[in-house]
Amino acid sequence: MNIGEIARRSGVSRSTVSYALSGKRPVSETTRRRIQAVIDELGYRPNATARALKEGRTRTIGLVIPPASQRLTEMQLGFVASVVDAAARADLDVLLSPSGGEHDRSFERVVGGRRVDGVILMEIRMEDDRVSRLRQTGLPFVGIGRTSRPDEMSWVDIDYETLISQCVHHLADLGHRRIALVNRSTELMAAGYGPAHRAQAGFSQAVAERGLEGVQTCCADDARAGVSCVGRLLAEHPDLTAIATINETAMPGMYRAIERAGLTVPRDFSIAGVAGRHWAENLHPPLTAADVPADELGAQAVDLLIRQISDPATPHRGALVAPPISLRGTTGPARPR
């Protein structure tokens, strides 16, 4: 059933029905009641656009994701799913928009065209032009991640600095003295990707505190890169006995590289990291890791955004999450090699 049928049965024009639904122009009470009676009889439900016009909102939020050309990691997919689920519970639609490079036009259409009531940003950089742009427009937004100035926005984030530090301390407690950090890609580091820089800081601090020998390297986000990266590490540092990492997508390749070197996890070599719980549990052996609560973070981001949409004067808030390390099958006592 559409507006034309309602107009015909009510004996009014389509525009009059539209005005009655949206409230954009006044309609006499008698006419409005006649239209409403037809709507009730037909069981018509105004579409989202009409409802949005009446409320002065789109009832849609934007979720800005990494470029579509890149495969999303298990953790990133978890964030997307959790935001969509939380938005649905609040009766909101989600418009996905990639950003980066040629995709910046999509981001600008979402922001400049006011197609959404607010935006959630993923993959925040320490210095992020998207944050500056959103602040200029006044459009409510929340980050899954934060810039180097966390007080300039509302955000939820994983405490990568603390978690990688805890991984190092856990490995040191097991007797490991030579540990490597396998970080995200060189490109992400150069772009100022927040988690990579904070993981680097946490690793450096923990290694210094425990008097360890630490090696740091970047690795692209795929299994093949994990094989070559860890293979190179083991060849260049034969006394290495453990790895800490935030690169969950490269982990299967890391496992293969260790196996190819004739080593067994965790008897000969240990790995600890930060990853999505489902991903960590389904590796073989299951990964000792700080399990990222993607569903919790996505729901918190949506809640913060709804508060800002409802009251733009709401003060900025940040939520830093540091889940405990789940001990599984990839860490054990260091053995001399």
Side-chain angles (χ1 to χ4, degrees):
M1 193 61 59
N2 56 35
I3 287 179
E5 180 65 14
I6 295 171
R8 186 183 67 79
R9 295 198 183 200
S10 303
V12 299
S13 67
R14 291 172 60 95
S15 60
T16 300
V17 175
S18 179
Y19 295 148
L21 289 172
S22 68
K24 192 173 182 180
R25 292 187 183 179
V27 174
S28 72
E29 183 63 20
T30 299
T31 300
R32 192 194 65 76
R33 287 179 178 176
R34 187 162 72 249
I35 292 170
Q36 187 61 52
V38 173
I39 288 173
D40 292 341
E41 178 186 349
L42 298 177
Y44 174 78
R45 295 185 64 188
N47 63 27
T49 301
R51 187 170 68 247
L53 287 170
K54 186 173 182 180
E55 297 176 355
R57 293 179 182 167
T58 67
R59 296 203 65 79
T60 301
I61 61 174
L63 176 59
V64 181
I65 61 176
S69 59
Q70 298 179 7
R71 180 194 297 179
L72 296 183
T73 68
E74 181 88 6
M75 194 183 303
Q76 290 167 338
L77 288 171
F79 288 138
V80 172
S82 64
V83 167
V84 171
D85 286 347
R89 290 194 296 271
D91 194 26
L92 297 172
D93 295 325
V94 178
L95 175 64
L96 296 181
S97 173
S99 68
E102 69 275 12
H103 297 289
D104 284 340
R105 292 192 299 274
S106 172
F107 173 73
E108 190 57 38
R109 283 195 298 271
V110 169
V111 175
R114 290 285 175 167
R115 299 167 65 183
V116 297
D117 297 325
V119 170
I120 294 176
L121 288 176
M122 289 177 56
E123 303 296 284
I124 305 290
R125 296 182 287 274
M126 303 291 279
E127 302 294 330
D128 202 307
D129 292 340
R130 300 170 303 169
V131 170
S132 301
R133 177 69 177 115
L134 284 165
R135 294 186 69 199
Q136 289 174 355
T137 66
L139 188 66
F141 72 98
V142 172
I144 297 180
R146 65 200 194 279
T147 69
S148 60
R149 296 175 298 278
D151 57 345
E152 70 181 0
M153 59 186 286
S154 289
W155 50 269
V156 295
D157 202 2
I158 304 160
D159 192 351
Y160 284 97
E161 187 169 346
T162 294
L163 293 180
I164 282 295
S165 176
Q166 289 177 350
C167 287
V168 172
H169 284 293
H170 169 59
L171 293 168
D173 289 342
L174 290 169
H176 294 278
R177 307 299 302 167
R178 298 167 184 86
I179 303 172
L181 170 66
V182 178
N183 211 323
R184 299 290 294 276
S185 71
T186 302
E187 292 77 15
L188 284 174
M189 283 293 292
Y193 178 56
H197 282 264
R198 294 185 175 103
Q200 183 181 62
F203 181 81
S204 297
Q205 180 178 350
V207 165
E209 288 174 352
R210 299 299 293 262
L212 309 176
E213 294 182 26
V215 179
Q216 299 190 39
T217 188
C218 291
C219 181
D221 294 343
D222 61 75
R224 182 178 298 178
V227 172
S228 60
C229 174
V230 172
R232 186 174 60 255
L233 273 175
L234 293 175
E236 295 175 355
H237 305 276
D239 53 355
L240 196 69
T241 62
I243 284 174
T245 183
I246 64 168
N247 195 328
E248 65 173 18
T249 309
M251 286 177 190
M254 297 182 205
Y255 278 45
R256 287 201 292 273
I258 294 167
E259 183 180 1
R260 288 180 184 179
L263 304 174
T264 301
V265 175
R267 187 188 65 189
D268 306 310
F269 201 92
S270 291
I271 309 176
V274 182
R277 180 179 62 83
H278 181 267
W279 182 264
E281 289 178 343
N282 283 277
L283 289 169
H284 183 72
L287 180 73
T288 292
D291 301 333
V292 175
D295 52 349
E296 174 187 328
L297 289 174
Q300 286 185 11
V302 171
D303 182 63
L304 285 174
L305 185 59
I306 289 173
R307 290 172 185 266
Q308 286 202 12
I309 293 170
S310 301
D311 181 9
T314 300
H316 293 317
R317 295 175 57 188
L320 195 58
V321 177
I325 293 176
S326 296
L327 301 179
R328 297 191 178 98
T330 58
T331 54
R335 294 180 61 183
R337 298 221 329 266

